């Protein structure tokens, strides 16, 4: 177009500008596309004849195209202006209608509501919950969680069916102790496992979650013994074995099921039709069969070895039941059964006289009482100080026993102490190995209750072991053999149940040879057949199994699985004690079978059969649990369908004691690993990182979090326990500090969600109850969001069978796209056992996208008649979001999602599932994804965030006032984006209007507070009255200084020696882009600084 033609067009443009701004009528201000095209056509025709003759055909074609482009550009501008005018008018209508609507709602609330409409009617037990006519205005966990579980259970929703064609997914609940009440560790296990099971059930699997209880040998026996003593002043020995075991069964039947009821309160969707107990008939059969098979293969054997002996409980205990304390120096400790504290952390030296008048040899020990059982003294073969004593003897000062002096280079360190070590093979693990190497005598000096027996000598017989410690020291002093004592660091083992000091004792016991089974367990993990999550525990797995020792499975208890072994006592035996002859044991399934075997082995001889009085370690029956719960050793349908199971979820503290043993026994007896994945959850501590302990008062009962409890009742619970007065004072003080107002009622959903969210915390969870309270408050937000959305759907709304996002308004396209992303991320996280990430994704979508943005952004659609078509789309998008969002959340929060889902309107022509738990879990829908909408909404959200911040800063206390705003854009593309989403920005930012300005075309507004969204966008807010330019200038200079610091830091990195060669190219590109952005921001703030300085007259 020539210069003259451009001059001819400019008055028309000026005409349009004047007309549109000065006319009082909106209609007269709009030039239609047709009228504009006509004017443009006449304008282009104003050209001289000579000019027309000079132009060639090619030039004319180019000219024509330019004119067409100019027309298109002007038309676009006109349409944008028309849209802006329409939007402003709609905003006015919306704002006015919103106020009227609010007034109408208030009036309605005051005069028309019936309180009974918000109250749930009573629901008969086991029936579908009868819900109130109207949704309550506030979320109440007790009301919401009241009736759903009995209906789920009675309806059989939890029951797995072997005949289903769906792929199986199986979890075995780690069986809680029959003695137990629900503790927070159980709640964490339940929350995680139920999340997995509900998700898999909704994902099309034939899910089986097996509940069970463990008979908990030691724990249960201790509880019942205490009860007998408290109520009848009797010991188990007073009753006798049969009567005592009968008392335990009575106790189990009365109190043992408490924890299973508590699991129901948490919403655990367990298959109760398969509930089991480790000592019921089927499980007992499995234990006996496993013992018999393993003994037949030589895996189980009997031997005389050292065990961890508890003198209070009078039984061997497992390593997991021993708590170790490091003692640095002389320390007095309380020990059960002793009136006075006992001294530990002291190394006592004394001398043994040598035979043949060779003098003496000095040894040292922290357990001087054990010298009564010494049978040798060891020295290093290279120690020249004692080379002359090889083959000689020391004389025991109290019984005259000759103690051989042996050379042992494995145990003895010649540089430690005197270089001579006393050897007590029957009471020390290291000495035990020395005794075997040198064929020494093994002398047990303790009775089962921790007293000195006849082997210890008449002078000390009958004394408690730590009383004997003092007596032996005094006796050594009298004989002139005491050589002094000094502080000594030591590690002291105590029983976790009785608090007794563990005594190494030599006992004949049954053992499992674990070496070959451990190799199989290692191979399963190394080959990937068994996955351990998190991966960090693979190293611990290898450490345990590579250094595995044989497993002692005998326990000297009365409650438990009696060992299926019978001792054959011949009439002419010299030694009459059971077990005196190790080759007389017969292992059989029952006494009848043992009798047949005994008659065959001892044909023609008179004998008696005596069953081993010991019971099996509880971990033995627990180790068989994945097999026994499915019917092994019988070839049941359950076993064929559901073994191996899918996932084992438990705490990392029992990786070896339970998980490894299940793997070893599963492979050995079941022919395959018992599960494909092991997920190990963190251990729960209190908010301060302390281990939960009754004596600290920080033990949290999950039911008290679910139902709420006052401080007074918390402290009453402590008083009803068995803490001593000093511990009670400390515990009460701890409770008062942590829960000054008690614990608020949170409900099961909030507790479950909090616990699952915590699983990202490494190997420990520092549980803060206030976080649970926070999720309880979030449930209220969820409730009210759904309540609001339902009010916008209306009673007559019928959801569509399908939707077309491409025809929906921008906010609807966006919410469906981010919902799609949330679904994808959640499923990916669940598949990866990243439960915290999954919970966070679901929470973020509901909170920050659905509630905070979508609901607010679509409110104008439901006011007045300005957005009729948009309203229908928004209703459909609302319903789709609610229906999918609740299904997405259900595995984490089963109760509230069921209640809300049941209230949703149903699509016509479709049969809806009875329960949300039977619905399909959401899966991504490809055509919902809209990257452009997501990108544009990010721009909208960052703009809104900046405007809100600036608005709060400017308005102070007058937060409800709406101010006009400006968006100053650096590019036309960004200006177009902001302009097209003006309604969303105005609505979300609570401003009166938004004018879009373009750098290079428009000047920045004056008299405004401003802030920067990013390097391409700045926002301004018109301030009522005068603006403090000095304050604004100070803000600009601070930001410039901050940008300068960032720029200098980045430039230092970029200019560093070797940067070009060492730093990856994509990082260099990112840094270059960052630097460009900083320079652009710096330029903007420099211009703002100059402008403000000019305003101030500087």
């Amino acid at each position: 177009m020539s210069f003259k033609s451009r001059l001819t067009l400019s008055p028309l443009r000026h005409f349009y500008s004047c007309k549109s701004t000065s006319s009082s009528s909106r209609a007269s201000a709009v030039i239609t596309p047709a009228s504009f095209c006509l004017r443009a056509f006449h304008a282009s025709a104003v050209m001289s004849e000579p000019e027309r003759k000079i132009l060639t055909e090619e030039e004319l074609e180019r000219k024509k195209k330019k004119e067409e482009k100019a027309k298109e550009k002007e038309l676009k501008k006109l349409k944008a202006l028309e849209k802006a005018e329409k939007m402003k008018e709609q905003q006015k209508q919306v704002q006015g209608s919103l106020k009227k609507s609010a007034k109408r709602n208030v009036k309605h609330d005051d005069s028309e509501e019936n309180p009974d409409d918000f109250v749930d009617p009573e629901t008969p037990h086991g029936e579908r919950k009868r819900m109130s006519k109207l949704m309550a205005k506030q979320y109440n966990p007790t009301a919401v969680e009241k009736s759903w579980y009995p209906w789920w259970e009675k309806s059989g929703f939890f029951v797995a069916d072997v005949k289903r064609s769906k792929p199986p997914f199986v979890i075995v609940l780690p069986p809680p102790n029959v003695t137990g009440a629900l503790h927070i560790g159980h709640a964490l296990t339940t929350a995680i496992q139920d999340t997995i099971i509900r998700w898999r059930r909704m994902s099309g699997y034939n899910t089986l979650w097996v509940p069970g209880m463990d008979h908990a040998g030691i724990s249960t026996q201790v509880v019942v013994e205490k009860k007998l003593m408290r109520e009848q002043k009797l010991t188990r020995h007073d009753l006798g074995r049969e009567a005592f075991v009968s008392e335990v069964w009575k106790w189990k039947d009365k109190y043992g099921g408490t924890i299973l009821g508590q699991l129901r309160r948490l919403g655990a969707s367990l298959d109760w039709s398969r509930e089991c107990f480790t000592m019921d008939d089927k499980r007992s059969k499995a234990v006996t069969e496993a013992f018999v098979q393993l003994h037949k293969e030589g895996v189980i054997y009997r031997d005389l070895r050292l065990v961890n002996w508890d003198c209070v409980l009078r039984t061997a205990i497992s390593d997991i039941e021993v708590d170790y304390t490091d003692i640095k120096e002389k320390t007095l400790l309380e020990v059960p059964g002793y009136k006075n504290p006992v001294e530990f952390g002291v190394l006592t030296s004394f001398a043994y006289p040598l035979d043949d008048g060779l003098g003496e040899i000095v040894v040292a020990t922290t357990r001087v009482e054990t010298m009564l059982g010494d049978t040798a003294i060891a020295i290093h073969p290279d120690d020249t100080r004692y080379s002359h004593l090889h083959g000689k003897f020391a004389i025991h000062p109290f019984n005259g026993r000759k103690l051989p002096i042996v050379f042992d280079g494995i145990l003895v360190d010649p540089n430690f102490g005197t270089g001579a070590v006393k050897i007590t093979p029957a009471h020390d693990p290291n000495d035990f190995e020395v005794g075997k190497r040198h064929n020494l005598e093994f002398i047990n000096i303790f009775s089962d209750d921790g007293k000195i027996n006849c082997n210890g000598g008449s002078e000390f017989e009958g004394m408690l072991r730590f009383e004997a410690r003092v007596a032996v020291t005094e006796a050594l002093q009298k004989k002139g053999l005491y050589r002094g004592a000094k502080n000594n660091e030591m590690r002291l083992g105590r029983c976790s149940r009785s608090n007794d000091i563990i005594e190494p004792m030599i006992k004949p016991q049954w053992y499992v040879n674990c070496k070959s089974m451990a190799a199989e367990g290692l191979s399963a993990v190394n080959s990937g057949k068994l996955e351990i999550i998190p991966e960090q525990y693979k190293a611990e797995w290898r450490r345990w199994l590579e250094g595995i020792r044989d497993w002692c499975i005998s326990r000297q208890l009365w409650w438990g699985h009696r060992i299926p072994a019978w001792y054959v006592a011949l009439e002419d035996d010299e030694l009459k004690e059971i077990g005196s002859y190790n080759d007389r044991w017969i292992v059989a399934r029952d006494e009848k079978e043992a009798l047949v075997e005994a008659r065959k082995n001892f044909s023609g001889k008179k004998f008696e059969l005596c069953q081993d009085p010991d019971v099996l370690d509880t971990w033995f029956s627990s180790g068989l649990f994945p097999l026994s719960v499915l019917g092994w050793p019988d070839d049941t349908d359950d076993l064929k369908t559901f073994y191996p199971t899918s996932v084992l979820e438990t705490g990392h503290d029992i990786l070896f004691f339970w998980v490894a043993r299940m793997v070893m026994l599963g492979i050995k007896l079941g022919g395959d690993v018992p599960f494909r994945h092991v997920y190990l959850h963190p251990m729960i501590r209190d908010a301060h990182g302390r281990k939960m302990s009754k004596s600290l008062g920080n033990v949290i009962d999950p039911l008290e979090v679910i139902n709420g409890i006052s401080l007074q009742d918390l402290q009453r619970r402590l008083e009803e326990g068995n803490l001593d007065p000093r511990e009670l004072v400390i515990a009460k003080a701890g409770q008062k500090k942590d829960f000054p107002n008690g614990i608020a009622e949170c409900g099961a959903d909030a507790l479950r969600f909090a616990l699952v969210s915590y699983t990202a915390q490494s190997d420990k969870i520092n549980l803060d109850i206030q976080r649970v309270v926070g999720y309880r408050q979030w449930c209220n937000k969820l409730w009210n969001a759904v309540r609001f959305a339902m009010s916008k759907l209306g009673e007559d709304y019928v959801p569509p069978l399908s939707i077309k996002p491409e025809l929906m308004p921008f906010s609807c396209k966006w919410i469906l796209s981010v919902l799609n992303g949330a679904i994808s991320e959640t499923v990916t996280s669940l598949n990866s056992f990243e439960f915290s990430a999954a919970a966070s994704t679901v929470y973020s979508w509901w909170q920050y996208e659905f509630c905070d943005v979508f609901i607010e952004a679509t409110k104008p659609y439901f006011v007045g008649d300005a957005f009729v078509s948009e309203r229908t789309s928004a209703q459909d998008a609302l319903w789709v979001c609610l229906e999918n969002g609740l299904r997405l959340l259900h595995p984490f929060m089963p109760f509230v999602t069921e209640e809300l889902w049941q209230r949703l309107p149903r699509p016509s022509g479709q049969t809806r599932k009875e329960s949300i738990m039977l619905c399909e879990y959401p899966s991504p829908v490809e055509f919902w994804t809209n990257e452009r909408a997501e990108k544009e909404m990010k721009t909208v959200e960052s703009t809104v965030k900046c405007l809100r911040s600036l608005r709060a800063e400017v308005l102070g206390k007058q937060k409800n006032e709406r101010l006009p705003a400006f968006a100053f854009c650096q590019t036309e593309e960004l200006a177009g984006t902001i302009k097209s989403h003006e309604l969303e920005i105005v609505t979300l930012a609570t401003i009166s209007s938004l004018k879009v300005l373009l750098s290079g075309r428009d000047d920045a507004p004056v008299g405004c507070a401003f802030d920067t969204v990013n390097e391409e966008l700045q926002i301004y807010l018109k301030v009522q009255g005068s603006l403090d330019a000095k304050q604004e200038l100070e803000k600009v200079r601070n930001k410039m200084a901050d940008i300068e610091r960032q720029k200098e830091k980045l430039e230092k990195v970029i200019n560093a020696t070797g940067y070009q060669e060492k730093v990856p190219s994509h990082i260099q590109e990112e840094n270059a882009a960052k630097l460009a952005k900083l320079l652009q921001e710096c330029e903007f703030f420099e211009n703002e600084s100059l402008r403000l300085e000019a305003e101030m007259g500087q």
Side-chain angles (χ1 to χ4, degrees), residues 685-701 717-718 731 734-735 738-739:
R685 303 292 184 96
D686 70 7
H688 312 291
R690 301 174 303 176
K691 188 175 180 179
M692 290 196 174
S693 164
K694 290 179 182 177
S695 60
L696 292 174
N698 61 353
V699 172
I700 296 171
D701 180 342
R717 174 166 60 81
L718 283 178
Q735 280 188 343
D738 289 343
F739 313 115

Side-chain angles (χ1 to χ4, degrees), residues 176-207:
N177 289 349
V178 71
T179 56
L182 199 68
H183 60 64
I184 205 72
H186 290 129
L188 175 61
T189 292
T190 303
I192 295 171
Q193 291 185 19
D194 197 42
T195 295
I196 298 171
I197 281 291
R198 286 178 183 271
W199 164 55
R200 290 291 185 178
R201 185 184 292 121
M202 295 174 76
S203 300
Y205 286 83
N206 183 16
T207 53

Side-chain angles (χ1 to χ4, degrees), residues 120 129 140-148 745 899:
D120 293 328
K129 184 176 179 182
N140 182 330
T142 300
V144 169
E145 297 174 4
K146 187 176 180 182
S147 301
W148 290 116
E745 176 194 29
E899 174 112 357

Side-chain angles (χ1 to χ4, degrees), residues 227-243:
K227 179 175 179 290
L228 280 172
M229 181 55 66
R230 183 173 63 251
E231 296 177 0
Q232 302 180 42
K233 303 300 180 188
L234 295 174
T235 68
R236 62 183 165 112
H237 301 283
D238 295 329
L239 283 184
R241 182 168 192 145
E242 189 176 338

Side-chain angles (χ1 to χ4, degrees), residues 94 788 810-812 814 849-862 867 874 937 940 948 983-985 987-988:
V94 166
F788 171 82
F810 162 72
S811 56
C812 298
W814 168 76
E849 293 170 338
F850 182 74
C851 293
D852 289 358
V853 178
F854 181 67
I855 282 183
E856 297 301 322
T858 55
K859 280 182 178 178
Y861 298 160
F862 296 97
F867 299 99
M937 185 56 93
V940 169
R948 284 175 175 173
L983 176 63
E984 287 82 8
I985 295 171
T987 303
L988 293 171

Side-chain angles (χ1 to χ4, degrees), residues 124-127 145-155 895:
H125 187 79
E127 290 188 11
E145 297 174 4
K146 187 176 180 182
S147 301
W148 290 116
Y149 196 93
W151 174 62
W152 290 335
E153 187 177 347
K154 187 177 179 181
S155 300
F895 293 104

Side-chain angles (χ1 to χ4, degrees), residues 64-303:
K64 185 179 179 182
K65 285 181 179 179
K66 284 183 180 178
E67 289 174 349
E68 286 174 353
K69 283 183 181 179
K71 291 174 188 175
E72 286 177 10
K73 193 172 181 181
E74 293 296 337
L75 279 172
K76 284 181 181 178
K77 286 183 179 179
L78 278 172
K79 286 180 180 178
L81 287 166
E82 286 178 2
K83 188 176 179 181
E85 288 294 329
K86 184 180 178 184
M87 195 173 291
K88 285 178 182 176
E89 188 63 29
Q90 288 171 339
Q91 285 170 12
K92 289 178 183 177
Q93 291 180 24
V94 166
Q95 289 173 13
S97 299
L98 279 172
K99 291 177 182 176
K100 291 177 184 176
S101 177
K103 289 178 182 177
R104 283 198 304 271
N105 287 338
V106 170
K107 186 177 180 181
H108 174 78
D109 290 345
D110 290 342
S111 60
E112 298 177 24
E113 286 179 357
N114 181 356
D116 291 341
D117 290 343
F118 296 93
V119 179
D120 293 328
E122 273 301 314
T123 301
H125 187 79
E127 290 188 11
R128 184 202 296 260
K129 184 176 179 182
R130 298 176 183 179
M131 295 184 291
S132 59
K133 182 179 178 182
L134 299 175
M135 284 181 69
K137 294 181 180 180
Q138 298 292 326
Y139 165 74
N140 182 330
T142 300
V144 169
E145 297 174 4
K146 187 176 180 182
S147 301
W148 290 116
Y149 196 93
W151 174 62
W152 290 335
E153 187 177 347
K154 187 177 179 181
S155 300
F157 296 155
F158 307 154
V159 179
D161 187 351
V162 293
K163 296 177 182 177
R164 285 182 190 156
S165 58
K166 295 177 178 181
F169 188 91
V170 188
I171 296 178
V172 173
L173 178 75
N177 289 349
V178 71
T179 56
L182 199 68
H183 60 64
I184 205 72
H186 290 129
L188 175 61
T189 292
T190 303
I192 295 171
Q193 291 185 19
D194 197 42
T195 295
I196 298 171
I197 281 291
R198 286 178 183 271
W199 164 55
R200 290 291 185 178
R201 185 184 292 121
M202 295 174 76
S203 300
Y205 286 83
N206 183 16
T207 53
L208 171 60
W209 188 15
V210 188
M213 284 190 299
D214 193 289
H215 64 278
I218 293 178
S219 297
T220 307
Q221 181 160 313
V222 168
V223 166
V224 178
E225 283 194 81
K226 285 182 177 178
K227 179 175 179 290
L228 280 172
M229 181 55 66
R230 183 173 63 251
E231 296 177 0
Q232 302 180 42
K233 303 300 180 188
L234 295 174
T235 68
R236 62 183 165 112
H237 301 283
D238 295 329
L239 283 184
R241 182 168 192 145
E242 189 176 338
F244 176 77
V245 170
S246 176
E247 285 294 319
V248 180
W249 275 107
K250 288 177 187 176
W251 183 92
K252 180 263 174 190
D253 293 338
K254 186 173 182 180
Y255 300 106
T258 302
I259 199 166
L260 299 181
Q262 293 170 327
L263 287 169
R264 287 175 165 90
R265 183 65 186 88
L266 270 167
S269 55
L270 291 149
D271 185 346
W272 297 105
S273 68
R274 289 174 167 87
E275 180 187 337
C276 58
F277 176 52
T278 51
M279 276 184 63
D280 63 27
D281 290 342
K282 289 182 179 179
R283 263 44 67 181
S284 295
K285 178 183 177 181
V287 168
T288 299
E289 185 62 31
F291 191 98
V292 171
Q293 283 191 31
L294 294 173
H295 180 266
K296 189 176 181 179
E297 294 180 31
V299 176
I300 287 181
Y301 63 95
R302 187 173 174 85
D303 197 7

